[in-house]
Amino acid sequence: MSKAPALELIDIHKTFTDVEVLKGISLKAYDGDVISILGSSGSGKSTFLRCINLLENPTKGEIIFNGESLKLASSGRDLAAADMKQLTKMRQQIGFVFQSFNLWPHMTVLQNVMEGPAHVLKRPKQEVMDYAEHLLNKVGIADKKHMYPNQLSGGQQQRVAIARTLAMDPQVILFDEPTSALDPELVGEVLGVMRKLAEEGRTMLIVTHEMSFAKEVSSEVVFLHKGVVEEKGTPDKVFNSPDSERCRAFLSSTY
Amino acid sequence: MDFSVVVEYFPRLLEGAWVSVQLVALSVVLGALVALPIALARISQNWWIKGFPYAYIFFFRGTPLLVQIFLVYYGASQFDVVRESILWPILREPYWCAIIAFTLNTSAYTAEIFRGAIQAIPEGEVEACKVVGMTKAQMYRRVLLPRAFGIVLPAYGNEIILMLKGSALASTITILDLTGMARTIIARTYTPIEIFLAAGGIYLVISMVIIAIFRQVEKRQNRYLGTVSIKVPDKG
Ligand SMILES: Nc1ncnc2c1ncn2[C@@H]1O[C@H](COP(=O)(O)OP(=O)(O)O)[C@@H](O)[C@H]1O
Ligand SMILES: [Mg+2]
């Protein structure tokens, strides 16, 4: 196993004003890994995920994507991208699915999915359209392609958001609590799509509170507590015999 | 009261109204073009970039439109460079002086409206642009500006109505806009009430047409947007 990780985070720190929210988190994701990130609210899960593609500038740390280290330069107390070209290139290859979907409401479902490949990657229009329709079909929304996001339910919007992410052919996809904003009866349809992606061998980092889903699809589970990795291992290890007392307490309270 | 003068002079009043409409239409279109780069610069984090638009907006919003008109009309001719420039044939015309003053004035207000609209776009939609790897330019062209267009409409329609009312000041530099024409007619007929009532009525009709047009455009544009409320993205 000499293959380099697809994504490697080394010693990520983040301080907001005077609170250190991330206290040195390291993580490696190899191709095909599905890593679930668990932790109670406020433990830093979103901040960590957002530091990976610099939606949030880390205070310290290194981000290596495909063996290439992201160039960072000091900007105040934090580190900001030193090479915007490199950053946008990297972002094109790392998908991000938000808790609140964040579809562009002035575009139809189809336009939302086509936007990235057509205007960022500048792929041929017809090819992009065919692929977008294929993806909408895959997430079960093909019949809604000419509708606008506000005409859809939350579960449908999130599935469109996943299709929008897949349209970029990302090498790694980051999910930040993709089902937390959904009514309980809509959670299943989104998890179904994500399960399919996991089975396809996609590389994913998933922040979630869906414990049985995490247990089932993950190759690795990470438990964050107050900005540090408190427990990490196979789902079997973390769910059934965690070393950390806090992890055990967290799991018994939520699962 | 004798409303037969209104009937008699109605065609002249319409002529004046047409000049008012031209003044407003030209200056809001030019004003919007000037406003866009000013709004974008104003949003910048960099003090060197946002300093100028800041001062520009402060000046044009903080001083009376009448003063601005007089500054352009009487002020421009004070400078030899202006009198000798190829622009002098334009700058000496009251009509173009009014358009320049109106354009500068409305651009300051419009820039603030644009800025407000761009900043009202939910942060999550902006982040969605970032995570697909859009450049700043792509982000503005593809998402932020089209999106801001829908948000801007009500406030922008309002600004055009304000501009219409402000355009009456053009009459102070000899322009025969609706107000100027009304005053000229009154100087001849001594029927101020009748003529000003008629002029006021025409202003109202123009305002109503502007409002109706904007309602229509807004309805079309925001058909599927739901209410464009300013949502704070959640930090779960
Ligand atoms: N932009 C921000 N500014 C200041 N504090 C923040 C910001 N974002 C998150 N935080 C704080 O950082 C901590 C971790 O937040 P977050 O990463 O969202 O946790 P989680 O996703 O695990 O619930 C919280 O205490 C939160 O209040
Ligand atoms: Mg979170």
Side-chain angles (χ1 to χ4, degrees), chain A residues 46 50 53 91-92 98-100 102 104-107 115 119-120 122 148 150-151 164 168, chain B residues 124-125 127-135 138 142-143 146-147 224-226 234-236:
Chain A
S46 296
R50 292 164 57 82
N53 61 2
R91 281 174 169 171
Q92 289 166 19
F98 300 90
Q99 181 178 344
S100 49
N102 295 340
W104 297 301
H106 62 297
M107 297 182 193
E115 182 62 30
H119 293 99
V120 178
K122 301 192 161 61
Y148 285 82
N150 282 302
Q151 298 174 291
R164 172 173 71 175
M168 296 291 288
Chain B
E125 292 174 37
E127 291 186 345
C129 295
K130 291 184 187 166
V131 298
V132 290
M134 285 191 193
T135 61
Q138 284 170 335
R142 297 293 312 166
V143 174
R147 186 77 172 83
Y224 300 116
L225 290 184
D234 54 67
K235 291 259 175 221

Side-chain angles (χ1 to χ4, degrees), chain A residues 16 21 40-48 56 177, chain B residues 235-236:
Chain A
F16 285 116
V21 170
S40 50
S41 177
S43 56
K45 306 180 298 294
S46 296
T47 305
F48 173 62
E56 215 73 74
E177 294 194 38
Chain B
K235 291 259 175 221

Side-chain angles (χ1 to χ4, degrees), chain A:
Chain A
M1 288 290 283
S2 61
K3 201 169 179 309
L7 181 63
E8 181 171 9
L9 295 317
I10 302 174
D11 197 27
I12 304 289
H13 289 250
K14 175 67 184 180
T15 301
F16 285 116
T17 48
D18 51 1
V19 189
E20 192 173 27
V21 170
L22 301 180
K23 298 170 184 150
I25 297 188
S26 300
L27 194 92
K28 280 183 199 174
Y30 291 88
D31 281 330
D33 278 358
V34 176
I35 302 178
S36 289
I37 301 170
L38 315 179
S40 50
S41 177
S43 56
K45 306 180 298 294
S46 296
T47 305
F48 173 62
L49 216 57
R50 292 164 57 82
C51 279
I52 296 175
N53 61 2
L54 261 54
L55 283 180
E56 215 73 74
N57 286 330
T59 310
K60 187 180 157 214
E62 190 177 0
I63 299 155
I64 303 171
F65 180 63
N66 266 335
E68 190 183 328
S69 176
L70 185 65
K71 295 188 188 78
L72 298 168
S74 293
S75 153
R77 185 175 49 191
D78 292 330
L79 299 171
D83 179 352
M84 275 315 279
K85 269 225 178 87
Q86 189 198 21
L87 176 65
T88 51
K89 192 97 211 294
M90 194 188 95
R91 281 174 169 171
Q92 289 166 19
Q93 296 169 273
I94 298 182
F96 197 105
V97 176
F98 300 90
Q99 181 178 344
S100 49
F101 333 130
N102 295 340
L103 295 174
W104 297 301
H106 62 297
M107 297 182 193
T108 64
V109 163
L110 188 61
Q111 286 167 339
N112 264 279
V113 178
M114 290 177 61
E115 182 62 30
H119 293 99
V120 178
L121 301 179
K122 301 192 161 61
R123 291 190 180 147
K125 188 92 185 278
Q126 189 58 48
E127 178 192 317
V128 169
M129 173 125 65
D130 293 345
Y131 190 41
E133 288 183 344
H134 163 77
L135 290 171
L136 286 171
N137 208 21
K138 178 169 175 169
V139 300
I141 304 270
D143 54 329
K144 306 264 190 305
K145 65 181 176 186
H146 294 307
M147 291 192 141
Y148 285 82
N150 282 302
Q151 298 174 291
L152 305 182
S153 73
Q156 291 167 335
Q157 289 190 49
Q158 192 60 294
R159 285 184 282 150
V160 173
I162 292 173
R164 172 173 71 175
T165 302
L166 294 175
M168 296 291 288
D169 282 328
Q171 199 187 337
V172 178
I173 309 177
L174 314 177
F175 294 84
D176 189 7
E177 294 194 38
T179 59
S180 294
L182 301 178
D183 293 334
E185 72 272 20
L186 302 177
V187 168
E189 63 191 55
V190 172
L191 292 183
V193 168
M194 292 172 64
R195 190 171 290 125
K196 235 190 308 186
L197 298 179
E199 284 161 9
E200 281 173 12
R202 299 246 180 202
T203 314
M204 314 201 280
L205 264 60
I206 307 171
V207 171
T208 184
H209 288 298
E210 298 293 331
M211 296 304 158
S212 43
F213 171 78
K215 190 172 180 179
E216 186 190 327
V217 304
S218 308
S219 52
E220 185 178 1
V221 177
V222 175
F223 172 70
L224 283 195
H225 181 75
K226 293 195 171 152
V228 296
V229 175
E230 176 84 13
E231 178 85 40
K232 124 191 225 175
T234 62
D236 181 50
K237 164 84 174 15
V238 173
F239 282 101
N240 298 327
S241 54
D243 295 329
S244 152
E245 196 49 52
R246 283 202 195 88
C247 182
R248 197 175 321 215
F250 170 78
L251 289 171
S252 64
S253 71
T254 54
Y255 167 61

